[in-house]
Amino acid sequence: MIHKKAFLAVLCILAAAAMVLPAAGAREPEPEKIVVGVGGWAVEPTQRAVEELGFTEETGIEVEVVTRPGSPPEFLSQMSSAILGGTSPYDVIDIEDDVAIGFSRSGWLVDLDPLFDDEFWDDWPEAMLEMTETWSRHGGELFRVPHNYEAQYFWYRKDILDSYGLQPPQTWDEMVEVGKAVTSGDRYGVSDGLAQGAYLGVYITYLTQQAGGNVYDMGPEFEEALQFLYDMIHVHEVFPISALDKDYDQVNNDYMQDRVVMMRQWPFFYGVARSNPDWFAEDKAQVALPPAGPAEQVAYAGSWGWSVPTTADNMDGAMKFVEFMSRPEHQGPLAEIDTWFLSARDSCLEYMDGRGMAEYLELYSDAGVIGTRPFHPAGQEAHTVVEETAAAYLTNQMTLRQAVRQGRQRMADLD
Amino acid sequence: MTIHGAQKHKTLKRYVLFFLFVGPALLVRTATSIYPVINTFHLSTLNYNLIQQVREFIGMRNFIYILSNEMFQSVLLFTLFFVAVSTFFQLLLGMGVAHLLNAKFIGRRLVRTINLIPWVIPMIVSAYAFRWLLAGDYGLISDWAFRITGSRPQLLLQASSARASLIAVNIWRNTPFMGLVILAGLQSIPEELYESAKMDGASWFKRFIHITMPASAATVVTLGLFNIIWQMSDIDLVLGVTQGGPGTATTVLAFRIYQHGMLWFDWGIASALSVLLVGLVAVISLIGLAIFKRYQFTL
């Protein structure tokens, strides 16, 4: 049996050792660090950017670039639990438009305005400023600094169209005609990633804008867009129904396996196509202006940008990172590293001088076809209403009239 | 100190000790269970949306809106259909599996272990695996169909086949567990009962109806009840296999709560839906308990 005094003595020795040992073994303090959460596709380019631009050398802050969940629902779930619990897995996050709306309205993002003076905004063209005002500001505060300006591009297989003696379509009708000519066997004329959960809503918004309307109004233009897509799938059979269950990676894969001839896609496909050298050739991934709808020839732009959660561990480090990555002199080199950082900022386009994806961004800008993304204050919920309405009709669960009637009612309930 | 004073002191000491020991557990239980329930009821009476930045008392309007809304009605109906059909087949097939596993054959223990594999795989993993299996262009099941019929069925893009697929995956996943629990029930039935019945000339079917069924009824009812409750609040399967689509064809109540609460930050509606879900589970539980009492079996 251990004696009481002996037990207390051992306890005192252990306590003293616990206090002394860490001091004896103390090393130099750990370097300051921040965690930056980006989509899986942007991890490598962001790491390269940090290294090549010398962020750590300048600030002494080490950067760990990690993958954040790619789909908005998963990311929202992760971040809402963390922020409500007073923490954050990331000090800086790279976020898209839909997510930005939810986070900013919830008051979860830090005001970034103090980082920039008026001169900073001289580098921004009018269209990007307008987009920033709508999608990156709330209550007078800047909660996100866009690092790209992504129009939706119309990609096509020039090699295949040439073999048929065809030109890329200029209108919706021509898209159907060209689609009919090149569809055969497993190969479809047109496709897109249309899975529910963000993808379908994007394409419906794009078509509705070309029909002259705002998708959230669910007016006659929305009906026209839905009818057009329905006909391409079910009547003309130039668009695979399976696209309704596919994301962008899957439709890119179809395109690069020669199963799709034309598709609408974001600029990241430029890098995806070139990362597949066995398949890639210049005439396999050409960009044309978007086919004009009944009202206009337009493709809206979206953006991703840097934000800092209010619960970030290293707030100062995070702010330094955002300021560093947004400097005008860094925009060109960033776009050179990856199209993920390509924007229409003057400094960026001047530096790129029509190289890479900048050529197409200039093509679209000069043609004046880049539109502003429609906005709804309810964000994701409104987007889901659009998707569920469209999917119900496109999968033959309802007539167009029934689907739109129900959709309008639900949209009205959001107001 | 008088005797009365000493007794009083002793009682007080016991009370203090009681609260000292029970207090922390009570506090944890209150914080993690009672408070959320009360708060959910409170939130269900508010128009509370973080994104739209509103928080106002609206009484029962959330409930009126939900119950009169066409979309919510169809979600509620599918939830009941999904849970009822899944549970029925899980019990039916579980009973069959239990009988097979109760038979004497070489390797019985190994087969009983293998039987549990679908159940021990995390639900979300199974769900995503089936999403790939059922996919129209590249899925294995669609490929088999193509080899046999020459066309690829888009199982997840038609309301009826998406619903059937979801229910089938749910049955595949939960039947082994049902079978195992029913098996435990079967093993508790004394062998003498069957031997006596055999001596009286009762056929296999009659033994099943008059001995096996009544003796395992309590297990089946309890199991069915728990399963209904679990499945009512489960979202993993829907999230992984169909995401509630096409349209809202496979959206269940729990998935809608997740969307309203975690994705759209519409906590008023999410809470009202949660209260409705609790109400539904309570009603089903009461019915289940009544049935349980009726089928209590004494050996």
Side-chain angles (χ1 to χ4, degrees), chain B residues 10-22:
Chain B
K10 204 175 168 185
T11 314
L12 189 72
K13 199 176 163 188
R14 284 177 64 189
Y15 271 116
V16 169
L17 269 176
F18 172 78
F19 280 110
L20 216 62
F21 288 129
V22 177

Side-chain angles (χ1 to χ4, degrees), chain B residues 62-70 72-73 76 276:
Chain B
N62 279 334
F63 294 97
I64 294 168
Y65 168 66
I66 289 168
L67 294 172
S68 61
N69 186 285
E70 217 175 320
F72 281 118
Q73 285 166 3
L76 190 62
L276 280 177

